[in-house]
Amino acid sequence: TLLTNITETTYPIWNTVAGGDSSVATLGTSSGNYYTGEIHSYAFDQDPTTKYTNFGSCSSTVYGFACGTKTGVYLTLNRGASLLLAFQFTAANDNVYRDPFNVTIEGSNQTSSALTLGSSWSLIYEGSSGLETDPGRRNPGKFRYIPENMIWYNSYRILITAKRYNQTSTQYAEISLYGY
């Protein structure tokens, strides 16, 4: 069963690691920003023609600028506590180099006021996003299963820990969360 719907309230974050406090991202086109017209709620709108783009923080590498990791989103499910058993990312419309490669997913049953605190989150998954092979633009990647998760959570936090290549941001069309 798809756990999310198009009316979920989402919160954009950047400069955040699993177990760490969340930093709120804002609209704009530089560090700590997500792109205007490519907003966080689009990650759960069930429309592969929209996307969420986050610039995150940037560091210089041999290959250019590495931006967009340590970014993501968290949400409290409208449906209430749910058991997350699988997820799937959908690639955005352009620039394969901005695809998320590795992610973390955490769960929480804390109140909304505590969700910016890293101590309120428990790590559920760390690994591939399912986009390690390019599925084509606006297409879903591989399902990733989380069979060891046995805890029902009200809230989930998804963070991008690596992406395909050094680019100015990370982008994806959808994050689909599945379970009960």
Side-chain angles (χ1 to χ4, degrees), residues 14-15 30-32 54-71 97-98 160-170:
W14 76 290
N15 199 28
S30 62
S31 292
N54 195 317
F55 293 94
S57 56
C58 297
S59 60
S60 181
T61 71
V62 181
Y63 303 105
F65 285 101
C67 312
T69 59
K70 300 181 184 177
T71 65
Y97 298 122
R98 295 179 183 166
I160 308 306
T161 59
K163 58 192 180 99
R164 190 177 304 279
Y165 197 71
N166 294 328
Q167 280 286 308
T168 59
S169 61
T170 297

Side-chain angles (χ1 to χ4, degrees), residues 64-96:
F65 285 101
C67 312
T69 59
K70 300 181 184 177
T71 65
V73 63
Y74 70 88
L75 69 155
T76 299
L77 299 174
N78 290 334
R79 70 189 340 252
S82 300
L83 180 63
L84 178 64
L85 296 175
F87 67 93
Q88 185 178 41
F89 273 78
T90 298
N93 66 322
D94 64 359
N95 205 331
V96 66

Side-chain angles (χ1 to χ4, degrees), residues 46-145:
Q46 300 174 21
D47 180 356
T49 67
T50 63
K51 66 182 175 183
Y52 174 40
T53 300
N54 195 317
F55 293 94
S57 56
C58 297
S59 60
S60 181
T61 71
V62 181
Y63 303 105
F65 285 101
C67 312
T69 59
K70 300 181 184 177
T71 65
V73 63
Y74 70 88
L75 69 155
T76 299
L77 299 174
N78 290 334
R79 70 189 340 252
S82 300
L83 180 63
L84 178 64
L85 296 175
F87 67 93
Q88 185 178 41
F89 273 78
T90 298
N93 66 322
D94 64 359
N95 205 331
V96 66
Y97 298 122
R98 295 179 183 166
D99 287 349
F101 239 42
N102 293 319
V103 300
T104 60
I105 300 178
E106 298 165 289
S108 178
N109 286 318
Q110 298 294 317
T111 60
S112 60
S113 62
L115 294 179
T116 58
L117 302 175
S119 60
S120 67
W121 296 100
S122 297
L123 186 65
I124 298 170
Y125 177 86
E126 182 173 18
S128 170
S129 69
L131 294 176
E132 61 275 2
T133 301
D134 180 13
R137 304 297 82 204
R138 295 186 175 142
N139 288 308
K142 295 176 185 174
F143 273 94
R144 290 291 171 225
Y145 295 94

